[in-house]
Amino acid sequence: MVWKWLGALVVFPLQMIYLVVKAAVGLVLPAKLRDLSRENVLITGGGRGIGRQLAREFAERGARKIVLWGRTEKCLKETTEEIRQMGTECHYFICDVGNREEVYQTAKAVREKVGDITILVNNAAVVHGKSLMDSDDDALLKSQHINTLGQFWTTKAFLPRMLELQNGHIVCLNSVLALSAIPGAIDYCTSKASAFAFMESLTLGLLDCPGVSATTVLPFHTSTEMFQGMRVRFPNLFPPLKPETVARRTVEAVQLNQALLLLPWTMHALIILKSILPQAALEEIHKFSGTYTCMNTFKGRT
C-alpha cells in the first residue's frame, strides 16, 4: 500500500508536466479539427446576435443540420432562411428555455422532426441591467430562469441520448462577467457565475463518458444589441469583440474539444490578478478602466 502511494506521488507531477507540454505543443502545431458533417446542432437564442453568427459558422463548417430555438419568430425565421440558402438543412422552434416543461416538450418535437441532437449550444440569455435595489423581482427571476436554469433543462433534455450514442457536445456561451462581476448587471453576473459552476461540474462529470464533452466560452463585452450603450473608459484599448469572432472561435473550440475558452486571451491576466491582488487594488482597477460605471449608459435589449 505504501509503495503504491509513493508510486502515485511520483507519477502525478510527471503526468502534470506531460499534459502542460502537450497543451503547449498544441498551441504551436495545428491540430486536427473535428468533422461536423454528421452533427446535428441546436442553438438556443439562435435568431440574432451571437446565436445567428453561430448558425452561420456551423453551416460554413459543414454541420449536417441546424436547429434554432428562441422566443421571437421573426428573427428565427430570417436566420433559418439564411442558413437554408447556404445549403444547410435548418429548422426553428419557438421555445422559452426558462420554461422547463416547454423545453422538454419542444425537445421531443425536435427529436421527432429532425433527429438526435449531437451538439447543444446554450446561448440564450437576457440582461436586466440594473442594480439590486432598482431591479424588479420578476426581472431578476427571469434572468436566473433563462441564463442558468434554462441550461439545466436543455442539457437534461438532450444529454441522455448523447450518452447512449457516445457522441455529443454541450456548449455554454457564458461571459467573462462570470469571473469578474460589475455593478449595474447584478442579475446577469450572478446567473453567469452560476452557469459557469454548472458547466465546470458537468465537464468533470463527463470525464468517464466516452464521446461526450463540454466547452465553456467566456467572451469579453461583445458588440450586440444586448449590451447596447455599455461603455468602458478606454474603448481603443479594450474594444468590444465582434459576434463573428466569438462564433468562429467557439466552433473551433468545439472542433478542438477545448474545455474552456477565454476571449480575448488577455482575459487570462484578469484571472491571475483577481487571485493575487487585494480587494482595494481590484476596486481601483474597476474605477480606472471604467467598468465601475460602464452600465450607467446601458440601453440594451432585455
Side-chain angles (χ1 to χ4, degrees), residues 192-250:
K192 288 300 184 179
S194 299
F196 178 76
F198 167 75
M199 285 300 293
E200 193 169 33
S201 178
L202 179 68
T203 303
L204 291 173
L206 293 174
L207 289 179
D208 294 326
C209 301
V212 182
S213 306
T215 295
T216 303
V217 183
L218 300 164
F220 180 61
H221 169 45
T222 307
S223 56
T224 64
E225 61 180 3
M226 185 174 177
F227 273 95
Q228 185 179 359
M230 179 181 174
R231 295 285 184 270
V232 293
R233 187 177 180 185
F234 304 106
N236 292 328
L237 186 60
F238 302 106
L241 294 168
K242 296 180 179 180
E244 298 88 345
T245 301
V246 176
R248 175 176 55 81
R249 294 294 306 279
T250 296

Side-chain angles (χ1 to χ4, degrees), residues 122-245:
N122 284 313
N123 168 70
V126 294
V127 56
H128 189 43
K130 294 184 178 181
S131 67
L132 176 63
M133 301 313 297
D134 291 334
S135 297
D136 176 75
D137 289 355
D138 290 335
L140 291 173
L141 285 171
K142 179 181 178 182
S143 296
Q144 309 313 309
H145 281 297
I146 293 177
N147 299 2
T148 304
L149 289 175
Q151 300 194 43
F152 281 68
W153 314 144
T154 56
T155 303
K156 287 193 69 177
F158 294 107
L159 181 58
R161 184 57 177 158
M162 293 180 183
L163 295 173
E164 289 179 13
L165 296 171
Q166 294 189 355
N167 178 32
H169 208 110
I170 307 294
V171 185
C172 170
L173 255 295
N174 205 300
S175 168
V176 73
L177 296 182
L179 304 178
S180 182
I182 59 174
I186 195 166
D187 63 315
Y188 186 81
C189 296
T190 303
S191 63
K192 288 300 184 179
S194 299
F196 178 76
F198 167 75
M199 285 300 293
E200 193 169 33
S201 178
L202 179 68
T203 303
L204 291 173
L206 293 174
L207 289 179
D208 294 326
C209 301
V212 182
S213 306
T215 295
T216 303
V217 183
L218 300 164
F220 180 61
H221 169 45
T222 307
S223 56
T224 64
E225 61 180 3
M226 185 174 177
F227 273 95
Q228 185 179 359
M230 179 181 174
R231 295 285 184 270
V232 293
R233 187 177 180 185
F234 304 106
N236 292 328
L237 186 60
F238 302 106
L241 294 168
K242 296 180 179 180
E244 298 88 345
T245 301

